Amino acid sequence: MDQSVAVQDSLKEDENCIVAAQCQFFVNDVIESRLVSLVECKSEYGIFLFTHRRMAITKDDISLDKVVPITKDCTIEEVLSEFPVLGADMTVRITSDSVFLELQLPFSSHSQRFLDETCKACHGVDMSEDPCPQFLWLSKYLPKSALASDSEKKGAFIPTAAFKGIETEASDNKRKTGTATVNGKSQVSEETKQNIQNISDNNAVRDGKVKPEVNNDMVRSSSYTVANKAQMLAMPQFELRDNLIKCELLKREESYTFTKNYRFFVGTYNVNGQSPKESLLPWLKGGIEPPDIYLVGFQELDLSKEAFIFSDTPKEQEWSKAVYEGLHPESKYAMIKVIRLVGIMLLFYVKKELAEYISAIEAEYVGTGIMGRMGNKGAVGIRFNFHNSSLCIVNCHLAAHTEEYERRNQDFRDICSRLTFRSFDPVLPNLPIMKHETVLWFGDLNYRISDVDVEQVKKLIDERDFKTLYKYDQLKKQMEEKAVFDGFTEGELTFQPTYKYDTGSDQWDTSEKCRTPAWCDRILWKGKSVKQLQYSSHLSLKTSDHKPVSSIFEIGIKVVNEELYKKTFEEIVRSLDKMENECIPSVSLSEREFYFKDVKYMQRQVQTFTIYNDGQVPCQFQFIQKLEEPAYCKPWLTAQPCKGFVAQGAKLEIELEVFVNKTTATKLTSQEEKLEDILILHLERGKDYFVPISGNYLPSCFGSSLQALCYMREPIQDMPPEHIQQFTLMPLHPQTEPSNTLEKQLDIPKEVWMLVEHLYRNACHQADLFQQPGLRTEFEEIRDCLDTGMPDSLPGSNHSVAEALLLFLDALPEPVICYSHYHKSLDSSGSYTQCKQAISTLPQCHKNVFNYLMAFLRELLKYFMFNNLDRSTLASIFGSLLLRPPPGIKQDATQKKKVQEFIEHFISKQEDVS
C-alpha cells in the first residue's frame, strides 16, 4: 500500500513527499519498524524517518523520528548480504558527518522507488550552486544546532564514487566486502559471487533459521543481455526508440517463443494463530515428481494484538522454517520472496536451476477493514515473469461469518482495485492483478455452505456426496451470478469441507456455536495453458481448526528461443530508423468531452474513452500538468492509465474516475470549487489533445461542518444552494445569526442524532461494534437517507451505521474538539477538571455533540460482555476522530496517549460538561 499520503498529510504546503517505504531500523541491535520517505522542498531534499503503530493511512498514524538533509557529505549505499537471494530484502546504509543509519527495506515497488528517487536526488544536487543549500525549511523539524552545522559547511552535496560509477580505491574496497553500486544500482562483485555457498540439502538450518538454496546463477546483476527476453522487457528504458523495439518484439512474440510446461504447487492453510506442531511434508510434497515452483499461503499466522503493529512476529520464522523443511526432498529450492500482512503470509520458492529465469518481481499488500485501517483481513500478492510469461499470485483472507457473503464480495472487489504492482517500465502504469497472463488466487475465502441444515450437511459429507453439497456453496452461487471471480476457474471439490474442526482432531466443531462445515479454503485460477492435475485437502494435519488445501498445476510457460529472438531483434533494429524518422505519432479519441452527473460523496463514478493509434508508429502518451498546477488533474479526478504505450493499429481504454472524499467535499459543497477540469493528453513527438471534464456535485452532510448542519433543519439536499454556501462559509464564532434563518439553531445536527439513536436502540449488544466494517452499498444508502431525508429510518446493518458515524466524524472540516483547542486539551489530559474546562470553552454546537457522544459511549460500555468494547478501545477509536491535530502538525506517540487519556476521563464519568 502507498503510505506516502500519510507523510504528505504531515508536511507543509510547499513540501512534497516523493515516495515512502516500509523499513526496519536498527537501533542498538534492536530492530524497530519505521516508515522512510524522501521529501522535496524547492529543489532541496531530505530523508524523513517516521515511527508508526499501524498501517499509515493519515498523519495521525506517524510520528517523525529523524531527518537527514541530502547534502554534500551524505552518502547512501545498498549493502549486499553474504548470500544474495533473488527478490530478497535490501539493506541500505545512510551516512553523513553526524548521521549513521542502517535500514532494511522489503523487496517491493515502494522500496525500489525509494532507492531510485533518492539516487536521482543525490545526482540532482548542484555542486556549484551559490549560495549553497541552507535547508531552512527543515528548521521546524531539526534541532537548531544540527541545522547550523550543516549550513556552515561550504559547497553542495558531492555524489560519491559509488553513485557515479567511478573506480576509486574506496569503491574497490566496498566491492571486496560485497558492497557496490553502479549508476545508482547495486551490483555484485565477482569476488562476492565466489563467496556464495551452496546448501547441501533442503533441511540445512543454521542457528534455527531457514537458509535458502543459493548459488551464483541466482545472483541478479545490474547488467542485461539481449538474449534474455524476460529481463530485456523489464528494463527501465526512457527513450522512445527502446519502446518502439519493445512494442515490435511483443507483436512478433510468437515467432521466437515456444511453450513449455512446468509444475506449480499451490497451497493454502489457515493456522488459527498456532505454531507448527507437525511436519508439513504430507501437505507440501506434492506427489512423486518435485514441483518446479512452490507458492504457499497462510492466514491467521498470529492472532495476537501485537501482530497488528508492523513488527516481526516469531510465527513468521516458525512457519517459514516448517515450510522449508517440508519441501519435496528430491530437489533443491531457493526462496525467491516472502511477504506478510499481519497474519496473511505468502512464500515463493523455485527450483535452484530455474531461478535465473525469474524476473520483474514485485510484492504488495492491501488491508480490508473498517475505514481501511485494519489488516487482519486483506491480501498479499506477488507478481513475476517466468521466462517470457507474466504471473500474479494472490493469497487472501476475506470477511468471516455465514451471512457476510456480500462483505466477502466487497473485499474481493477492493483487492482487485487496490492491489497493483509497479511496472518495471517507467512509461507504463502500475499493473493490476488481471493484467497478467496467469493469475493464481487462493486463501481462506470464507465462503460458507448455507440454506441447509447442519445435520444434513454432515450426512452428505458422511455419504461423500460432495456434488449435492456443492449446490449449497456460497462461492459457487456468487461466481454463477458473476459477483466475484468472473473468468476464474476452480477444480471439482472431491474432498470434504476444510472448516471447522476441533483443533488437534478430525472431529467437526463441538463448541457451543457448532458451526456448519464449509469449504472456506479454496484455490482458483485464471488464464490460458493452465491444467489442474490435483486438488485436495490434507486431513492428517491437525494443528488448526482448518485443514490445509493443495493443488498441482501444469502451466504452459512461454520460453524464448534465443537464436530466433536475436534474428527478430536485428530485423526490428534495421527497420527502425526509417519508421522513427518518417512517421509522426497520431491517435484518435472515441470521446473528447465528459460530464459526470449527480456525483455523490464517496461514490465512484467512471466513464471511459478509447485511444486508437491510427498512425504509422507506436505512440507513447501521458497526461501532463497544466501551468502552475501541482498535478495533471484535480484531486477528485484520476485517469487510469495516466501514461502508457499504444502499438500501431491498437486501442487502449482510458478510465476516468471521479471520487469526492473528505479532502475535496467541503469546498464542493460550499461551491468554492466546481467539478471542472481539463486534461491534457500529450503524445511523445506528437501533439497535445485537450479533454474537458465537468459535472455537478450533490451536497452532503459528510464533509459539512457541525455549525452549518445545526442551521439546516431540512436535509441538506432540500436546502437552497445559496443557504448551504452561507452556512458553510460562516465563521466558527459568528457575531450575528444568519439573516435567512428564522428558527433557532439545532442543539446538535439531526444527522448525528439519527446515527447515534439508531445504534443506541439497535446495536448496544452487537458483537465487534466499531471494529467490523460495514458494506459500501449500505453506507451509500445511509448517506442518501441523511442527505435527502428518505426513507424515514436508516437502512443497513449495525456495522454499516457504525462505520457511517465514524466516517462522518472523520470528514468534519473542523473536528468536534476544534483545532484551536488541541494543545490546550492535551495539556489538560492529566486532570479531569482541566479537561472539563477545555471542553467548556468549545462553541456550543461542538460542546453539545461532544457531550452527546460521550453519553452514548458510556452506554456502550455497560454492554462490554456483548459488544467487546472496553474503555480503552472506545477512547482509541473515537479519540483519533474527536481530538485531531491541526493541519500541518504531526502527532507523536506521547500526544496519542494524551488524546486517549483525555477521552477516557469522559467515558468514565457520568456527567456532561456545561
Side-chain angles (χ1 to χ4, degrees), residues 70 190 223 281 362 525 567 677 696 733 764 798 857 873:
I70 296 184
E190 290 302 319
S223 61
L281 189 61
E362 288 290 322
W525 75 91
K567 180 181 177 181
D677 200 1
N696 70 296
H733 298 279
C764 286
N798 291 335
L857 298 187
T873 301

Side-chain angles (χ1 to χ4, degrees), residues 54 57 367-377 407 410-411 414 418 768-774 798-807 877 881:
R54 58 173 72 88
I57 305 294
T368 57
I370 193 163
M371 297 183 71
R373 291 176 181 267
M374 299 295 285
N376 57 325
K377 297 293 190 292
R407 175 67 207 186
Q410 180 175 299
D411 285 350
D414 283 349
R418 293 169 52 201
D768 299 324
L769 190 67
F770 293 112
Q771 298 171 82
Q772 180 176 319
N798 291 335
H799 292 302
S800 295
V801 176
E803 187 168 20
L805 175 60
L806 298 182
L807 289 169
I877 293 170
L881 301 173

Side-chain angles (χ1 to χ4, degrees), residues 810-830:
D810 188 47
L812 289 173
E814 185 80 31
V816 174
I817 302 176
C818 303
Y819 288 132
S820 59
H821 287 60
Y822 177 73
H823 293 293
K824 180 180 179 181
S825 299
L826 294 191
D827 293 341
S828 306
S829 63

Side-chain angles (χ1 to χ4, degrees), residues 25-139:
F25 180 44
F26 300 92
V27 185
N28 300 324
D29 297 326
V30 176
I31 299 178
E32 298 181 1
S33 180
R34 291 290 191 274
L35 187 66
V36 64
S37 66
L38 178 66
V39 177
E40 179 269 340
C41 180
K42 298 178 181 178
S43 300
E44 294 180 356
Y45 297 86
I47 296 172
F48 285 46
L49 202 65
F50 296 89
T51 59
H52 62 112
R53 296 186 64 250
R54 58 173 72 88
M55 184 185 302
I57 305 294
T58 70
K59 64 181 179 181
D60 298 330
D61 299 326
I62 59 177
S63 178
L64 186 61
D65 182 34
K66 295 182 185 298
V67 176
V68 181
I70 296 184
T71 61
K72 68 181 181 67
D73 66 323
C74 181
T75 61
I76 304 165
E77 60 187 11
E78 182 179 355
V79 182
L80 300 180
S81 64
E82 180 183 2
F83 298 99
V85 178
L86 182 69
D89 295 345
M90 55 190 80
T91 300
V92 176
R93 190 174 292 154
I94 303 171
T95 57
S96 67
D97 285 351
S98 57
V99 175
F100 178 87
L101 301 177
E102 194 162 286
L103 311 175
Q104 187 176 71
L105 282 74
F107 188 87
S108 72
S109 64
H110 300 304
S111 299
Q112 189 60 53
R113 185 163 176 247
F114 172 77
L115 290 178
D116 293 344
E117 294 293 342
T118 304
C119 183
K120 288 182 189 177
C122 292
H123 277 298
V125 176
D126 188 352
M127 294 179 289
S128 62
E129 187 178 343
D130 189 25
C132 63
Q134 298 293 307
F135 295 99
L136 298 179
W137 60 284
L138 292 179
S139 58

